[in-house]
Amino acid sequence: MKAFKYIFILILIVIIGGAIYFSLKDGKYDITESRIIAAPPSLIYDQLADFKEWDNWNPWLEDEEITSTMGTQTKGVDGNYSFTDPYGNGKMTITGIEPNKYVAMNMFYDNGMTSSNSDVIMDLERVENGTKVTWNIKSEQGLLDKVMTTVLGFNMEDEIKPKYTAGLENLDNYVNNQMSVHQVHVDGIIETGGGYFLYMSSSTKREKLQIVKSQMLQNIMSYMNRNHIDMYGMPRVVYEKIDPTNNSVLFSAALPVENREITATNSNILSSYQEPGKAVKITLNGAYSNLAEAWRKGEEFISQNGLVKAIASPYEIYKTDPMLTPNPADYRTEIYIPIE
């Protein structure tokens, strides 16, 4: 009997000692992974604020042993989904949002013996080359969790950080694939109407055209605002000369107006009139980086149909405002190549 008594006391000492040891062991974890994605915050936020969109990039769903079930509400505060893995089940719930800034969540997990709650946040910060996405999870393990992770040699950072890295890479690829979607359609020969416009002219390298064009259009718009002149159509660029050898272009950025406007003699903003005529029209739905493809298809149409280009300069009309259209896949540009 004494032997059993001593064994019991020894076991009790081990249990008490182990409990003290593990209770003093730091169970806090705070894991962060970041990635800069070349996309505006609004496009990324749309992927984060609705759990249905997580199916596009969630790294855990690549594991066939993990299943997920969407809640009745998946978007915004209280949006949620549940998941089951080989070790237990959990639930993700959105607890706070600020559009284009962050999505905060709670992750509840139950492995059958213990349960835990973790704070998860995905933060968005606009940077020079796009958006910096920071994914963070933090919590503190209970006593039993600390015992189990120590005995099993389980390290939270080793388990979570690679998944966060893969998830952000998946998110990057998905968003950029969505932004690259485009379509070119040759509309054929149309009659173009005439009209007045205010314009500025410049020359630049092709790779700087979009930046210079935007600056010039802003200058024209400011002039029109100061002089209470209304815009009477969408912005355009008229190509006076393209030099493939030097990769440069001489062009005018223009805004249509209703009537002839007389500008100051020394002003770099001028007024002109476009004569009516015929042109081959090409429509691009997609990013400006696809304009070369659209122009090529227009040139092919002219060649295949034995058409002759007119002396008048070709031009592009921008039907969408990039400031109001976050996804370049939604841009619409019309190209007009005048013909005789």
Side-chain angles (χ1 to χ4, degrees), residues 7 17 20 51 97 205:
I7 292 172
I20 294 173
F51 283 128
I97 57 174
K205 295 292 185 180

Side-chain angles (χ1 to χ4, degrees), residues 68-103:
S68 64
T69 303
M70 293 296 158
T72 304
Q73 177 184 338
T74 61
K75 186 177 183 180
V77 174
D78 294 329
N80 64 88
Y81 83 95
S82 301
F83 62 91
T84 301
D85 64 22
Y87 308 104
N89 56 78
K91 183 177 182 179
M92 293 283 290
T93 303
I94 297 176
T95 57
I97 57 174
E98 183 175 344
N100 307 329
K101 294 290 186 179
Y102 72 84
V103 177

Side-chain angles (χ1 to χ4, degrees), residues 149-314:
T149 54
T150 301
V151 172
L152 297 175
F154 184 90
N155 184 282
M156 293 295 291
E157 183 153 353
D158 291 343
E159 292 294 323
I160 293 176
K161 199 172 182 68
K163 287 291 189 181
Y164 277 14
T165 301
L168 292 176
E169 182 178 357
N170 292 346
L171 180 61
D172 189 341
N173 291 335
Y174 180 80
V175 170
N176 276 281
N177 284 339
Q178 292 299 106
M179 291 169 59
S180 67
V181 173
H182 71 283
Q183 183 180 35
V184 175
H185 182 258
V186 179
D187 302 281
I189 301 171
I190 65 160
E191 297 288 336
T192 61
Y196 297 101
F197 56 90
L198 295 177
Y199 71 98
M200 294 178 66
S201 297
S202 182
S203 61
T204 186
K205 295 292 185 180
R206 291 297 295 266
E207 61 269 19
K208 295 182 178 179
L209 175 62
Q210 294 300 329
I211 296 175
V212 177
K213 173 205 76 175
S214 296
Q215 293 172 342
M216 293 166 66
L217 289 173
Q218 288 174 11
N219 289 339
I220 300 171
M221 181 62 73
S222 296
Y223 175 88
M224 292 171 64
N225 289 337
R226 290 194 305 270
N227 291 276
H228 309 290
I229 301 171
D230 293 329
M231 192 164 68
Y232 204 63
M234 301 304 292
R236 66 184 60 191
V237 161
V238 182
Y239 294 93
E240 277 89 18
K241 182 179 180 181
I242 298 174
D243 186 350
T245 304
N246 295 317
N247 193 35
S248 63
V249 57
L250 174 63
F251 73 100
S252 295
L255 288 174
V257 293
E258 184 174 8
N259 303 303
R260 180 183 297 277
E261 300 291 341
I262 306 301
T263 61
T265 305
N266 59 349
S267 175
N268 58 357
I269 296 175
L270 305 174
S271 176
S272 188
Y273 178 78
Q274 177 185 329
E275 297 288 345
K278 291 194 300 183
V280 172
K281 177 186 175 185
I282 309 100
T283 300
L284 165 66
N285 293 304
Y288 297 141
S289 57
N290 300 297
L291 278 168
E293 177 187 342
W295 277 94
R296 185 178 69 252
K297 290 189 176 182
E299 295 286 354
E300 290 173 355
F301 179 87
I302 289 173
S303 176
Q304 291 167 0
N305 289 275
L307 302 175
V308 178
K309 293 182 185 179
I311 298 176
S313 299

Side-chain angles (χ1 to χ4, degrees), residues 27-157:
K28 293 181 180 179
Y29 57 88
D30 189 341
I31 303 165
T32 300
E33 185 65 15
S34 296
R35 184 182 182 93
I36 294 177
I37 298 178
S42 58
L43 291 186
I44 301 171
Y45 173 80
D46 288 344
Q47 290 296 309
L48 307 184
D50 187 345
F51 283 128
K52 285 183 180 178
E53 302 297 332
W54 283 47
D55 286 352
N56 299 322
W57 53 271
N58 189 342
W60 276 276
L61 296 185
E62 297 171 2
D63 189 335
E64 295 181 354
E65 295 183 300
I66 298 177
T67 59
S68 64
T69 303
M70 293 296 158
T72 304
Q73 177 184 338
T74 61
K75 186 177 183 180
V77 174
D78 294 329
N80 64 88
Y81 83 95
S82 301
F83 62 91
T84 301
D85 64 22
Y87 308 104
N89 56 78
K91 183 177 182 179
M92 293 283 290
T93 303
I94 297 176
T95 57
I97 57 174
E98 183 175 344
N100 307 329
K101 294 290 186 179
Y102 72 84
V103 177
M105 294 154 279
N106 169 263
M107 186 179 77
F108 171 80
Y109 189 76
D110 186 346
N111 62 18
M113 291 186 291
T114 65
S115 62
S116 63
N117 284 282
S118 303
D119 294 321
V120 181
I121 188 166
M122 299 192 76
D123 183 74
L124 305 176
E125 178 188 358
R126 184 182 288 277
V127 294
E128 182 178 357
N129 297 320
T131 303
K132 182 179 181 181
V133 185
T134 302
W135 198 352
N136 173 265
I137 182 171
K138 64 178 62 175
S139 187
E140 185 170 5
Q141 295 175 312
L143 178 60
L144 188 54
D145 283 326
K146 288 190 280 188
V147 173
M148 292 177 63
T149 54
T150 301
V151 172
L152 297 175
F154 184 90
N155 184 282
M156 293 295 291
E157 183 153 353

